[in-house]
Amino acid sequence: MVEPAVKEEKRIVGIGSALVDILSHESDEFLQTIGGAKGAMTLVDSEFIDQTLEQITGQPALVPGGSACNTIIGIGKLGGVARFIGKCGEDAYGDLIRTELEKNQVEPMLFTSPLPTGKVLSIITPDAQRTMFTFLGAASETAPAEMTPSAFDQAAIVHIEGYLIHNKAVLRTALAQAKKANATVSLDLASYTIVEENKGFLEEIVADAVDILIANEDEARAFTGHTDEARAIKALSEKAPLAVLKIGKRGSYISRDGETLKIEPMGTGDAVDTTGAGDLWASGFLFGMVNGYPLEQCGNLGS
């Protein structure tokens, strides 16, 4: 099912980790010093982030983060009907997430935990690539029982981040509730490390419940085994009714019903920071989908 616009309701519900991004521009040498695999996401403890912050050269920026949260905020900025489901601590970071969601016209469905709100240290190197070190904190305590039918009420699209695979019980329950709500399910594969470590499980849930599959080049390679763009998008399209392959500054591909569209990039400037870029591509694309735009227009809006 990949035609959510047939529903009168146009709500997009995002499910993922409620996190605060700590953004810092650093050198490649700095990234090597702290042991990061460029472009990857690594789970760490809070102390690792705190100790690394003592070594950074500049003043970091704090913004709401988490893949699905980024996407949902983007949809809110576009004027869409949006809800975000996540879990945070009862602390200043949790307040920041709630405030930013509301400021951007997103309905927050935030559960709370005694644990601190999760955070992501995103190291941005001169090539604009981001490498993430994630402490899940309260987000790790999201429970299947919190995925209630009311959370999916009037959802046309349910967008799930691949990072939720760290809590497989919650992910399975969310997928089941989305299907009961007759919503279109969108899954962003999130990180090539996630795919490499959970390929079998991802193949299972994609085959069973995913309508829109979104991946970048690295994630597609890990999921399909193909580095060639044409083969990768074809392989992705064989796994889900609608497949997206994002190829960075070169644009993207969208495939549905045997037809593949090449979407050109927008803008000509050099990238400064790619943190959340793919998440916001999904914002535009899903906003177009829920409003019944032609597929190419959805892609252009994402781009």
Side-chain angles (χ1 to χ4, degrees):
M1 177 181 64
V2 286
E3 297 294 347
V6 299
K7 298 182 72 172
E8 183 176 339
E9 181 58 62
K10 296 181 180 179
R11 176 173 286 111
I12 301 176
V13 176
I15 307 171
S17 298
L19 307 169
V20 168
D21 279 352
I22 306 169
L23 311 176
S24 184
H25 290 263
E26 302 293 339
S27 66
D28 287 304
E29 290 73 23
F30 180 87
L31 183 60
Q32 291 171 4
T33 298
I34 63 174
K38 184 176 281 195
M41 188 284 293
T42 305
L43 290 176
V44 297
D45 56 27
S46 183
E47 288 72 23
F48 175 90
I49 293 178
D50 293 341
Q51 291 168 6
T52 304
L53 285 173
E54 294 176 358
Q55 306 172 51
I56 66 173
T57 57
Q59 181 63 37
L62 298 181
V63 295
S67 176
C69 186
N70 289 338
T71 296
I72 292 300
I73 285 178
I75 290 164
K77 284 179 177 289
L78 288 169
V81 183
R83 174 189 296 150
F84 176 72
I85 304 169
K87 197 164 199 170
C88 57
E90 298 180 283
D91 51 25
Y93 277 4
D95 293 341
L96 171 65
I97 293 170
R98 183 180 296 276
T99 298
E100 288 298 311
L101 287 168
E102 292 175 342
K103 186 173 77 175
N104 289 289
Q105 316 307 315
V106 175
E107 175 193 352
M109 186 171 282
L110 295 175
F111 305 101
T112 57
S113 162
L115 290 179
T117 299
K119 55 191 175 183
V120 180
L121 175 59
S122 182
I123 300 297
I124 304 140
T125 41
D127 58 0
Q129 181 61 277
R130 88 290 181 270
T131 303
M132 298 178 293
F133 300 90
T134 302
F135 167 66
L136 289 173
S140 67
E141 291 200 334
T142 306
E146 291 163 338
M147 299 295 112
T148 61
S150 62
F152 300 83
D153 182 47
Q154 297 181 316
I157 296 177
V158 172
H159 179 67
I160 300 175
E161 62 180 62
Y163 296 116
L164 200 61
I165 205 166
H166 293 300
N167 196 330
K168 291 183 175 63
V170 168
L171 179 51
R172 287 189 186 278
T173 305
L175 289 170
Q177 293 287 19
K179 288 303 179 183
K180 286 182 181 179
N182 197 34
T184 293
V185 172
S186 166
L187 175 69
D188 191 313
L189 289 181
S191 168
Y192 71 87
T193 53
I194 293 289
V195 179
E196 288 173 345
E197 295 166 6
N198 301 276
K199 186 177 177 183
F201 180 79
L202 282 168
E203 288 178 335
E204 175 193 335
I205 64 170
V206 168
D208 289 345
V210 172
D211 303 297
I212 302 173
L213 180 62
I214 302 174
N216 67 18
E217 296 167 274
D218 292 334
E219 295 149 13
R221 172 193 50 76
F223 198 48
T224 70
H226 296 298
T227 55
D228 176 77
E229 294 168 8
R231 291 183 177 180
I233 186 61
K234 183 176 186 298
L236 289 172
S237 70
E238 291 169 351
K239 297 178 182 293
L242 195 159
V244 168
L245 174 63
K246 301 170 293 182
I247 53 174
K249 63 183 180 181
R250 290 176 290 114
S252 53
Y253 293 92
I254 305 170
S255 184
R256 180 173 66 182
D257 297 333
E259 177 187 6
T260 298
L261 299 174
K262 172 68 167 65
I263 305 298
E264 296 302 324
M266 299 287 179
T268 57
D270 293 330
V272 175
D273 176 8
T274 56
T275 306
D279 304 331
L280 291 178
W281 191 99
S283 301
F285 180 75
L286 296 177
F287 178 83
M289 287 291 294
V290 83
N291 283 288
Y293 297 171
L295 203 55
E296 184 173 10
Q297 187 177 353
C298 295
N300 286 334
L301 187 54
S303 190

